[in-house]
Amino acid sequence: MLAPVAPSELQRLRALCQEAGYTDRGLLALFGPIELPTRAGRGMAHFVHLTREGRRLDILVRLFLLGLPTPHQVAAEALGARLLEDCGAWGLLEPHQDRVAARVRLLPYRDLLLAADQAEYPEIAERPGQVMGITASTVALANFAVRRPVEEALDLGTGCGVQALLAAVHSRQVTATDTNGRALEFARFNAALNNRTNICFIQGDAFQPVRGRRFDLILSNPPFAISPRLRYFYRDSGQPGDSFCRRLVREAPEFLNDGGLFQMTLDWVEHVGQDWRQRLAEWFEGTGCDAWVLRLNCETAANYAYLWIRDTEPGDSEQTARLYEEWVEYFEREAVEAVSTGLIAMRRTGAARHWLRLEEAPARIIGPIGDWVAQGFLLRDFLEANSDEQLLTAKLRLVPEARLEQEFAAREGRWQSVASRIRLTRGLPWTGNLDARLAGSLARLAGQRPLRDVLVHLAIELGVEPDRVIAASLPLVRDMILRGFLLPESVPAVSPGEQPPLP
Ligand SMILES: C[S@@+](CC[C@H](N)C(=O)[O-])C[C@H]1O[C@@H](n2cnc3c(N)ncnc32)[C@H](O)[C@@H]1O
């Protein structure tokens, strides 16, 4: 459907979009932080209104983002006659009565321009092989990925190619796989559109196309929905429950170099009376990897089915109602109480012992956090390698992004502190309760004095035995190291450029 086109040809389209402001920043300025309509027609009036001025950007948005048929003459003015014709030949546009309509959606994301299906239209929405654009899970994985320079990266389930294209910037070579040939067609087109030449695309199931190879980074945003049957390739694996994601976790280590990372988005089922940590811990046993799981969200089974139906089915037809019922019945049959959404990072190492960290993610993760994920691995390694006695000799430093908040209540005629919390303003924005006096001492940690000195000083101030203060503080200090509030000398701070401070 999309013609193979040389990157040099496609640069004219990219340059025109950039000049017109058809970029992620340009769209943010035009619409504000609002979700685009998810179904043809729904909410369209608002977007039509916001693009009423008829500038080149407005026309490009109507054509390529909203999928609205546009008079030939108007499209020709925006694109130029030659590019308009080329877009037809490349498979992006087609005649629609006396107008032209986009056969694909063009999505600006970061510095990329990506072609994906116009999935809002019923005839496309019901195709099993439709190729999804940028969704919440796409963004979650793109933000989660550790962006250090690597030799070989793999994007498993590449879809429109977005993760592969992002990885191509910091990898010498990227391999991108998908079972859906149509997805690979889009991904190849997008590689050319964005002039990325170091990606090789292979069709096949899971790790089968890369048997015998090893990677430094494997990214996967797989078809993770927990659904009754395979209806869309991008959404459903066709395997029971979360077994496809479990399989990826179990197989990934075989394809990782030592020190290599596997990072994945996923959903997992929760059964009545079973702790999610206990259930997931089994997935990682014997993998030869350190593993970190962040749970982002948890929905009741019925709500989960409702959200997928709302976001992926064309309308409120009888068929949609039947699909919803089928979904809910499936959950009842399988005793699924809830479904959680999360992120997994695994690192292969030759060590005899491996650690496992399973926890709730902090609320409000915004923007790329890859550098903090990499730092999280180093911090956990540091804690594993150092006994309490060794920790007391460490010279820790409080990071500048730490903020202390105190809460006061009026008691006996004056404001008295009733709670204090510490939080981070960048990266993984953890928060935690912290005794105000200990917090006062931590402010003195600037990488110069051993931890023991600072805790002994606190004990003297409080008039308490130093050993008591040390014993009470060490678990907290460990937790604050784990979450990146306190850094040992061996772990570098994340550079300030990576992510703007959270408000
Ligand atoms: C959720 S989409 C992710 C697309 C893209 N990587 C992203 O991050 O937005 C999942 C992709 O995995 C592909 N897929 C489905 N089953 C697969 C399998 N068994 N092996 C490899 N890829 C598969 C689908 O065709 C789809 O393109």
Side-chain angles (χ1 to χ4, degrees):
M1 190 192 101
L2 288 171
V5 191
S8 55
E9 282 290 293
L10 291 169
Q11 294 328 296
R12 287 183 286 127
L13 175 61
R14 248 195 103 199
L16 182 126
C17 287
Q18 255 158 12
E19 274 164 34
Y22 191 75
T23 59
D24 57 352
R25 276 161 196 263
L27 295 187
L28 190 66
L30 187 63
F31 296 140
I34 194 169
E35 272 187 42
L36 289 167
T38 52
R39 296 277 165 256
R42 286 195 210 170
M44 198 60 89
H46 177 63
F47 296 96
V48 168
H49 177 76
L50 291 177
T51 52
R52 67 190 175 284
E53 285 179 25
R55 297 163 304 171
R56 179 178 275 175
L57 174 59
D58 299 320
I59 298 163
L60 293 175
V61 167
R62 285 188 177 191
L63 199 54
F64 287 122
L65 200 64
L66 304 179
L68 295 173
T70 301
H72 193 275
Q73 181 58 28
V74 174
E77 275 164 27
L79 289 168
R82 180 168 161 222
L83 192 52
L84 178 64
E85 199 176 308
D86 287 343
C87 284
W90 298 336
L92 300 178
L93 294 174
E94 64 185 2
H96 183 91
Q97 292 148 10
D98 59 336
R99 300 175 168 229
V100 282
R103 294 174 61 167
V104 302
R105 196 176 224 193
L106 283 183
L107 296 156
Y109 177 62
R110 300 202 183 173
D111 66 343
L112 301 172
L113 188 61
L114 298 160
D117 264 320
Q118 287 279 10
E120 289 67 35
Y121 290 94
E123 66 273 18
I124 297 177
E126 298 226 54
R127 268 189 210 161
Q130 65 169 280
V131 179
M132 67 176 230
I134 306 298
T135 65
S137 63
T138 310
V139 174
L141 183 62
N143 283 340
F144 184 53
V146 173
R147 304 275 173 213
R148 63 183 176 194
V150 293
E151 279 290 302
E152 294 276 347
L154 170 67
D155 173 19
L156 192 155
T158 195
C160 72
V162 51
Q163 311 292 348
L165 287 161
L166 293 172
V169 175
H170 57 96
S171 312
R172 190 185 58 76
Q173 177 67 36
V174 180
T175 304
T177 66
D178 207 294
T179 37
N180 182 2
R182 196 173 140 72
L184 291 172
E185 207 178 284
F186 273 87
R188 280 195 189 95
F189 181 88
N190 286 329
L193 179 59
N194 293 279
N195 208 6
R196 304 263 153 91
T197 51
N198 56 339
I199 310 175
C200 143
F201 297 94
I202 317 178
Q203 189 168 5
D205 171 41
F207 288 104
Q208 175 273 325
V210 292
R211 284 262 159 251
R213 292 180 56 191
R214 287 191 189 268
F215 300 87
D216 308 301
L217 177 66
I218 302 176
L219 297 172
S220 186
N221 178 15
F224 53 72
I226 315 294
S227 56
R229 63 188 160 96
L230 199 166
R231 182 159 159 78
Y232 303 117
F233 297 140
Y234 72 88
R235 191 188 74 179
D236 319 305
S237 66
Q239 309 295 309
D242 47 26
S243 59
F244 184 67
C245 289
R246 182 182 179 279
R247 174 182 154 201
L248 295 184
V249 163
R250 306 289 305 167
E251 290 185 9
E254 186 188 330
F255 300 89
L256 284 174
N257 281 320
D258 235 26
L261 283 180
F262 170 53
Q263 295 185 271
M264 174 170 86
T265 51
L266 79 162
D267 286 356
W268 64 86
V269 300
E270 303 213 358
H271 295 294
V272 184
Q274 189 181 30
D275 181 68
W276 71 269
R277 291 178 185 81
Q278 199 188 347
R279 182 163 179 279
L280 254 60
E282 178 272 330
W283 291 19
F284 302 95
E285 279 169 18
T287 55
C289 289
D290 299 314
W292 187 2
V293 182
L294 286 163
R295 181 161 88 155
L296 297 169
N297 184 33
C298 182
E299 296 288 349
T300 62
N303 217 24
Y304 180 83
Y306 157 72
L307 291 171
W308 271 118
I309 293 280
R310 189 196 65 181
D311 290 347
T312 58
E313 296 304 334
D316 274 335
S317 62
E318 263 179 40
Q319 177 183 248
T320 306
R322 263 200 312 278
L323 288 169
Y324 174 77
E325 282 304 321
E326 183 191 359
W327 210 314
V328 171
E329 279 164 17
Y330 164 72
F331 279 157
E332 278 169 8
R333 232 178 16 253
E334 298 294 320
V336 173
E337 184 183 37
V339 179
S340 283
T341 296
L343 300 164
I344 287 180
M346 293 168 71
R347 181 188 56 182
R348 185 184 152 128
T349 78
R353 279 180 22 163
H354 295 97
W355 52 257
L356 174 61
R357 181 176 173 188
L358 299 142
E359 64 195 334
E360 303 290 341
R364 290 184 70 243
I365 299 178
I366 300 172
I369 53 163
D371 283 356
W372 285 273
V373 173
Q375 188 189 63
F377 272 83
L378 298 180
L379 291 171
R380 177 70 187 243
D381 290 345
F382 171 83
L383 290 170
E384 293 286 324
N386 285 277
S387 65
D388 285 351
E389 212 35 58
Q390 288 166 316
L391 195 56
L392 288 167
T393 65
K395 292 175 178 166
L396 303 172
R397 59 197 195 281
L398 188 69
V399 297
E401 296 84 14
R403 297 285 179 276
L404 187 70
E405 292 168 349
Q406 269 191 290
E407 212 175 293
F408 295 87
R411 300 263 162 86
E412 295 160 11
R414 64 188 182 90
W415 290 107
Q416 286 186 24
S417 170
V418 289
S420 54
R421 272 182 301 277
I422 191 156
R423 68 179 176 96
L424 287 174
T425 58
R426 283 201 309 148
L428 284 154
W430 299 105
T431 57
N433 294 332
L434 185 65
D435 176 79
R437 291 161 305 181
L438 178 58
S441 297
L442 296 185
R444 295 185 197 127
L445 288 174
Q448 269 138 16
R449 298 164 61 194
L451 176 64
R452 182 192 297 278
D453 281 13
V454 175
L455 295 180
V456 168
H457 190 271
L458 172 63
I460 294 167
E461 276 177 357
L462 298 174
V464 182
E465 270 295 297
D467 282 353
R468 275 184 55 201
V469 170
I470 288 173
S473 306
L474 274 177
L476 260 165
V477 168
R478 279 193 175 269
D479 198 53
M480 293 188 68
I481 294 172
L482 187 69
R483 298 183 192 289
F485 287 96
L486 294 172
L487 299 184
E489 282 171 303
S490 58
V491 177
V494 173
S495 74
E498 170 81 354
Q499 185 203 43
L502 302 168

